[in-house]
Amino acid sequence: MQIAIENGYTKLVLGSCTSRIACHVLSATVKGQGYSLAADIQYADARWEVPVVLPLRDCPLQELKILCNLDSLKIVDIFNETGAGINGLVSSFVKILQEENPSRECTIVRTAGKLTPFPFNRIPEANVDDADLVSQRRQKKFNLKPIESLPPESFCPICNSPMSCYGNAESRPELFRAACCPSCQYQILPDEASSMDQFYSFLPESIIARAKNGNQKWIREKIQDCLLLDDEDEV
């Protein structure tokens, strides 16, 4: 994303296919990222500064390998060994399911595709060109509501996943724990408060700033009823 911003790219195209997205659906569910799952599996994702598109979303890995063989393209397997973490276990599980039923991956993705997309799962109108006509037709098919008719979302400062609300700041007064999604709170943030300073040292300044802005937004929403409007006289 940083390279795309520095070079002025208008879109970031990822090669995530049906097989990889099917694994992500199950692993995200296991990790407690069910609320934000719909954001990651759409054809377009404009929550980032450079919109992300997934043109191979409907293409299973087997079809892509056949296409590469027909075009005499070399196939390189980057990860040959299955890891012991959640992602590795899910990949092995989906592979077994696929061997039993070749359509299982497509079924997983189609089932997850019934989740309601977020307002940022569309390409901004200012960036729409002739190449985005297909994306526009897909948006009509999935009946995406206008952005102005949907409530604004809060985003996790670490993984940028959308959240329905921020954590309880009273029980989690620390900035990051109040602003992060539950998945990052329990999987990425250190358990000991004394380790947070070292954790901060590994983070880019952009993430720190995003957490501060998000926390300010959460506080403003909590005291919204006590704020004076612009057209109200001060007391």
Side-chain angles (χ1 to χ4, degrees):
M1 181 61 62
Q2 186 63 32
I3 293 175
I5 295 174
E6 293 175 354
N7 289 272
Y9 299 150
T10 58
K11 293 181 183 64
L12 184 61
V13 181
L14 301 183
S16 300
C17 61
T18 300
S19 304
R20 177 168 293 185
I21 295 176
C23 294
H24 175 71
V25 168
L26 297 184
S27 61
T29 303
V30 173
K31 295 175 182 178
Q33 298 173 329
Y35 177 80
S36 62
L37 176 59
D40 303 328
I41 61 175
Q42 306 301 326
Y43 295 100
D45 185 351
R47 72 182 125 160
W48 312 92
E49 188 170 346
V50 178
V52 176
V53 293
L54 305 178
L56 300 180
R57 181 182 182 272
D58 296 327
C59 300
L61 182 60
Q62 292 78 4
E63 293 182 4
L64 293 177
K65 287 185 176 181
I66 293 175
L67 178 61
C68 291
N69 290 329
L70 292 176
D71 292 340
S72 300
L73 299 176
K74 183 179 179 180
I75 299 176
V76 179
D77 292 328
I78 300 178
F79 304 104
N80 296 322
E81 298 182 0
T82 301
I86 293 177
N87 294 340
L89 295 175
V90 169
S91 297
S92 301
F93 176 68
V94 173
K95 184 177 181 180
I96 295 175
L97 294 179
Q98 186 71 7
E99 292 175 352
E100 297 176 352
N101 186 344
S103 64
R104 197 62 61 88
E105 293 174 343
C106 297
T107 301
I108 294 175
V109 175
R110 284 199 303 267
T111 302
K114 296 180 181 180
L115 297 173
T116 303
F118 289 86
F120 53 77
N121 286 131
R122 64 171 74 238
I123 298 295
E125 295 182 0
N127 297 330
V128 171
D129 49 33
D130 293 339
D132 296 316
L133 293 179
V134 175
S135 178
Q136 290 179 343
R137 288 196 293 267
R138 285 169 176 162
Q139 291 172 7
K140 291 182 179 180
K141 175 182 177 181
F142 289 99
N143 192 27
L144 290 180
K145 298 180 180 180
I147 294 180
E148 58 271 11
S149 66
L150 295 173
E153 297 293 338
S154 300
F155 296 91
C156 175
I158 295 181
C159 66
N160 209 28
S161 295
M163 301 186 299
S164 58
C165 61
Y166 283 108
N168 187 351
E170 295 179 358
S171 60
R172 299 179 182 272
E174 205 281 326
L175 174 64
F176 251 77
R177 295 196 183 278
C180 290
C181 66
S183 179
C184 289
Q185 288 180 13
Y186 297 109
Q187 293 188 83
I188 297 181
L189 296 184
D191 295 332
E192 300 295 334
S194 58
S195 302
M196 289 302 299
D197 291 338
Q198 182 181 7
F199 176 77
Y200 284 146
S201 64
F202 296 119
L203 296 178
E205 288 297 329
S206 58
I207 292 183
I208 300 293
R210 192 160 60 193
K212 291 180 179 179
N213 293 335
N215 203 48
Q216 291 174 359
K217 178 182 177 182
W218 180 85
I219 295 176
R220 185 177 181 84
E221 291 175 352
K222 293 288 289 184
I223 63 173
Q224 186 65 38
D225 295 339
C226 302
L227 297 177
L228 293 175
L229 300 178
D230 294 337
D231 56 352
E232 291 181 346
D233 296 332
E234 295 185 3
V235 178

